[in-house]
Amino acid sequence: VKTTVSVIKADVGSYPGHSRTHPKLLEVAARMLKEAEGSTIIDSYVTHCGDDLELIMTHTKGEDNEEIHELAWNVFLECAKIAKEMKLYGAGQDLLADAFSGNVKGMGPGVAEMEFEERGSDPLLVFMADKTEPGAWNYFLYKIFADPFSTSGLVIDPSMHQGFTFEVHDVMEKRRIRFNTPEESYSLLAYIGAPSRYVIKYVWKKDGTIAASTSTQRLNMMAGRYVGKDDPVMVIRAQSGLPSVGEVIDPFRTPILVAGWMRGSHHGPFMPVGVCDANCTQFDGPPRVVCLGFQVSNGKLIGPADMFDDPAFNRVRDRCCELSDVLRAHGPFEPHRLSLEEMEYTTLPGVEKQFKDRWEDLPE
Ligand code: 13P
Ligand code: 13P
Ligand code: MG
Ligand code: MG
Ligand code: MG
Ligand code: MG
């Protein structure tokens, strides 16, 4: 029987502002999932990254299972109810919100799932981010599964030497395409280098073994309007023909810039942190990522290990702070502020509307 890992997340309210999930919500979510263990699910772990409540669940029901998704939804509804009572900020925010919170992105829960036959030993890494979008994983997934200067196993491990297959989603046109690496690496990069539109959804070994799965909820369409950026999650299996745990997390030592941060409208450095530091503070950020490591054993989650709670990641955090200084100095200017195309999905059009009648045509 196969094991399924489902990571489902939503921002259902936070304090203060958009900085962190309240411990009461974590407690209630953990209890509700614990009660479902043995019936709907096998095992669970609840955590947060910034203001996003993260439900990690294992079961045998496969991807997109109604019971699992309903369980997650009910947890979010219950937590949103408590958040409303406490008047937490953006209570119910990602549940097709009634409280508008500065941008119209991210209005539904995010989901990353994978089903697999457990190997003799199955290391699993769950990545959870706040204040960015699903395309933020593109750079790292390429480094992990296709860059031989990052993952030495691509070169020296005969069981990885043949490369990987990537599935890319176009979140504007709602279509998908697969690329094989190393032979089509340049073609893959042509698309995933534009992470606001092209998002890696899955990575497999060429024999079909699932290696990585991400949330791509940026494609949510609501009321005919584009709304769906969401602080993303990602699940990666490691070792034995897949990149090692160390090869999976090493790329996060490079401080790349991602879209999100304040009001979902700015580029900022992506900072790997331990869960103890997974609170978005400075300018509502900077964008953060946590990684919990587990061993999966007959559906049980052995762990977690807090992978970025580690002095080996101190220097990238310092470099993120330096980049933050450089970007923040731009104030409301690009490229700190997102491009106009991206700003269409923020609150800026509301400002432009106020001036639409004051513009005059220039004489010929
Ligand atoms: P150990 O000898 O510590 O088990 O390390 C094996 C390895 O391959 C590390 O990447
Ligand atoms: P979240 O998507 O994390 O709620 O962020 C919203 C925001 O506007 C932060 O400034
Ligand atoms: Mg929020
Ligand atoms: Mg448990
Ligand atoms: Mg968030
Ligand atoms: Mg969000």
Side-chain angles (χ1 to χ4, degrees), residues 54-280:
E54 318 276 358
L55 314 181
I56 303 169
M57 298 170 284
T58 52
H59 54 94
T60 54
K61 299 176 198 302
E63 289 186 41
D64 292 317
N65 179 271
E66 207 180 311
E67 252 187 285
I68 300 297
H69 284 233
E70 192 182 9
L71 171 63
W73 182 257
N74 288 339
V75 171
F76 293 141
L77 278 186
E78 184 61 26
C79 289
K81 204 176 94 193
I82 296 161
K84 275 174 192 145
E85 282 162 16
M86 287 193 281
K87 291 175 75 175
L88 294 186
Y89 197 72
Q93 175 181 289
D94 284 356
L95 308 178
L96 312 177
D98 41 28
F100 185 71
S101 58
N103 72 66
V104 293
K105 296 175 176 180
M107 293 176 86
V111 183
E113 300 183 292
M114 59 163 69
E115 184 184 31
F116 53 86
E117 197 91 56
E118 283 186 26
R119 298 167 292 170
S121 179
D122 232 297
L124 187 85
L125 296 163
V126 180
F127 292 86
M128 296 156 277
D130 189 28
K131 305 299 183 269
T132 188
E133 61 185 12
W137 304 129
N138 286 4
Y139 173 93
F140 301 100
L141 286 166
Y142 185 85
K143 296 280 278 186
I144 295 163
F145 292 102
D147 180 1
F149 280 78
S150 187
T151 293
S152 65
L154 291 167
V155 179
I156 67 175
D157 180 349
S159 69
M160 269 172 67
H161 205 68
Q162 76 287 1
F164 290 89
T165 300
F166 291 71
E167 180 170 303
V168 176
H169 288 194
D170 175 347
V171 298
M172 300 290 185
E173 298 275 327
K174 286 198 165 200
R175 50 184 189 158
R176 65 183 174 204
I177 188 169
R178 288 182 187 183
F179 292 106
N180 290 318
T181 58
E183 56 275 31
E184 297 180 305
S185 317
Y186 298 164
S187 312
L188 172 66
L189 287 167
Y191 290 97
I192 65 169
S196 62
R197 173 158 181 180
Y198 299 103
V199 178
I200 299 168
K201 176 68 184 170
Y202 295 110
V203 182
W204 298 273
K205 271 172 81 84
K206 283 178 179 161
D207 67 7
T209 304
I210 186 72
S213 173
T214 73
S215 60
T216 54
Q217 271 61 38
R218 189 165 182 164
L219 67 171
N220 283 357
M221 298 290 281
M222 263 204 48
R225 284 176 303 134
Y226 181 83
V227 291
K229 154 183 168 262
D230 215 276
D231 308 308
V233 289
M234 167 168 80
V235 183
I236 298 186
R237 285 166 91 201
Q239 308 286 161
S240 312
L242 298 171
S244 70
V245 167
E247 286 168 338
V248 173
I249 63 174
D250 192 56
F252 289 87
R253 288 187 314 109
T254 303
I256 66 158
L257 301 182
V258 296
W261 208 350
M262 175 59 71
R263 299 169 186 275
S265 306
H266 297 80
H267 288 113
F270 201 32
M271 184 188 273
V273 293
V275 176
C276 56
D277 293 318
N279 308 307
C280 288

Side-chain angles (χ1 to χ4, degrees), residues 298-325:
N298 303 316
K300 285 278 181 194
L301 292 164
I302 311 301
D306 191 351
M307 303 304 286
F308 295 141
D309 181 14
D310 177 345
F313 289 86
N314 282 349
R315 203 154 69 89
V316 61
R317 290 189 273 265
D318 285 345
R319 294 178 72 196
C320 284
C321 291
E322 280 162 22
L323 281 166
S324 169
D325 289 343

